[in-house]
């Protein structure tokens, strides 16, 4: 049971390049999330998914797209990378809703992160 | 003004010390309060969870919420080197609302 895994662990891009970050979970979780973590800013939600084939915007969705074609995978895409997207990206998953993680009846499990630098 | 303020530290204490980590917030609607622990190069993991005001204890950890002062704390008793990590507070107003995370406090427990 690997939990939540992220690929790649590190990446350096030039401005304008595109890339896709892959998140995979083997816990049969319905809900998956993408966060970014920046110094002095804390964790911020980019996009999330409440099930296969569905996605929704979080707090900072601009410049990112996501897809959830398979239940176990959640992809985060950057179509035209900008230096402002330099960050550490974390994927998370939970069995039930984000509200339940809020109510303490569930929890979000985080992946190890992807360190992205955009030059 | 940020929704959640957290002193980034770093905080360095000797093994066995009592550690106090704190966050302040501005939104009086926040009711759900969480503490996450994040080891270096790892994702955060939920450590403690509290609803509304009061204290909650779990082993060496105690979470305290003072809604009147808009202040939450995490106390670690008999701190261990394995407690060395970054501690993030998080809070929310309730279901359907977003989480707000603090920036994290870096803690080092020296053997």
């Amino acid at each position: 049971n690997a939990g939540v895994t992220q690929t790649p662990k590190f990446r350096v891009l030039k401005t304008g390049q595109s890339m896709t970050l892959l998140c995979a979970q083997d816990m049969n979780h319905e809900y998956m999330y993408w966060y970014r973590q920046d110094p002095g800013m804390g964790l911020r939600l980019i996009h999330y998914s409440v099930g296969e084939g569905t996605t929704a915007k979080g707090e900072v969705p601009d410049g990112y797209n996501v897809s959830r074609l398979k239940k176990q995978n959640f992809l985060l895409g950057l179509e035209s990378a900008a230096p402002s997207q330099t960050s550490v990206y974390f994927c998370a998953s939970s069995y039930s809703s984000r509200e339940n993680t809020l109510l303490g009846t569930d929890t979000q499990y985080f992946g190890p992160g992807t360190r992205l630098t955009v030059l | 003004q940020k929704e959640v303020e957290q002193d980034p530290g770093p905080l360095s204490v000797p093994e066995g010390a009592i550690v106090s980590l704190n966050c302040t917030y501005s939104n009086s609607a926040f009711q759900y309060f969480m503490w996450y622990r994040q080891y270096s190069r790892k994702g955060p993991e939920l450590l403690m969870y509290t609803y509304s005001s009061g204290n909650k204890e779990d082993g060496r950890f105690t979470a305290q919420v003072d809604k009147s002062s808009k202040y939450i704390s995490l106390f670690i008793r008999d701190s261990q080197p394995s407690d060395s990590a970054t501690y993030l507070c998080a809070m929310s107003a309730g279901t359907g609302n977003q989480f707000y995370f603090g920036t994290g406090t870096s803690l080092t427990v020296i053997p």
Side-chain angles (χ1 to χ4, degrees):
Chain A
N1 189 332
V4 180
T5 58
Q6 292 182 232
T7 309
K9 289 185 171 56
F10 305 93
R11 186 71 185 268
V12 178
L13 289 178
K14 294 181 179 178
T15 297
Q17 287 184 318
S18 62
M19 78 162 294
T20 301
L21 281 67
L22 171 64
C23 175
Q25 52 91 7
D26 60 2
M27 297 175 281
N28 202 34
H29 283 172
E30 288 292 337
Y31 295 76
M32 297 187 74
Y33 316 83
W34 275 108
Y35 291 90
R36 58 179 291 175
Q37 187 174 36
D38 303 290
M41 297 296 292
L43 274 167
R44 292 180 292 170
L45 183 66
I46 304 171
H47 285 281
Y48 64 100
S49 168
V50 301
E52 183 178 319
T54 68
T55 63
K57 293 180 180 180
E59 305 159 39
V60 288
D62 294 342
Y64 304 95
N65 56 74
V66 289
S67 63
R68 183 99 181 266
L69 298 179
K70 293 183 178 180
K71 185 177 182 179
Q72 63 268 34
N73 295 337
F74 194 28
L75 278 63
L76 178 72
L78 286 73
E79 290 185 348
S80 180
S84 61
Q85 294 178 303
T86 293
S87 187
V88 181
Y89 291 86
F90 287 100
C91 175
S93 70
S94 60
Y95 178 72
S96 59
S97 69
R98 194 165 179 233
E99 285 70 23
N100 282 340
T101 67
L102 206 52
L103 293 167
T105 57
D106 194 4
T107 189
Q108 291 186 29
Y109 295 87
F110 285 81
T114 295
R115 292 183 175 272
L116 175 66
T117 301
V118 183
L119 302 176
Chain B
Q1 184 185 6
K2 287 183 182 177
E3 296 275 0
V4 180
E5 298 278 359
Q6 185 174 9
D7 186 339
L11 188 61
S12 183
V13 301
E15 183 175 353
I18 297 174
V19 176
S20 172
L21 303 167
N22 311 296
C23 287
T24 59
Y25 61 94
S26 57
N27 189 341
S28 58
F30 287 155
Q31 297 186 80
Y32 299 86
F33 305 93
M34 291 141 281
W35 286 97
Y36 284 81
R37 179 174 59 195
Q38 185 175 18
Y39 290 113
S40 181
R41 307 279 175 164
K42 300 287 187 183
E45 56 180 338
L46 183 65
L47 191 61
M48 297 283 287
Y49 159 86
T50 311
Y51 170 71
S52 193
S53 284
N55 293 358
K56 185 173 184 179
E57 191 172 317
D58 184 1
R60 297 184 294 109
F61 298 89
T62 300
Q64 195 172 77
V65 175
D66 182 350
K67 291 187 73 180
S68 62
S69 301
K70 297 190 181 69
Y71 189 88
I72 69 170
S73 301
L74 177 70
F75 298 97
I76 307 174
R77 291 184 301 280
D78 187 24
S79 55
Q80 303 295 309
S82 58
D83 295 328
S84 297
T86 295
Y87 290 80
L88 301 146
C89 62
M91 48 195 81
S92 177
T95 59
N97 283 272
Q98 63 190 52
F99 284 61
Y100 292 89
F101 282 85
T103 53
T105 299
S106 175
L107 170 68
T108 300
V109 180
I110 302 167

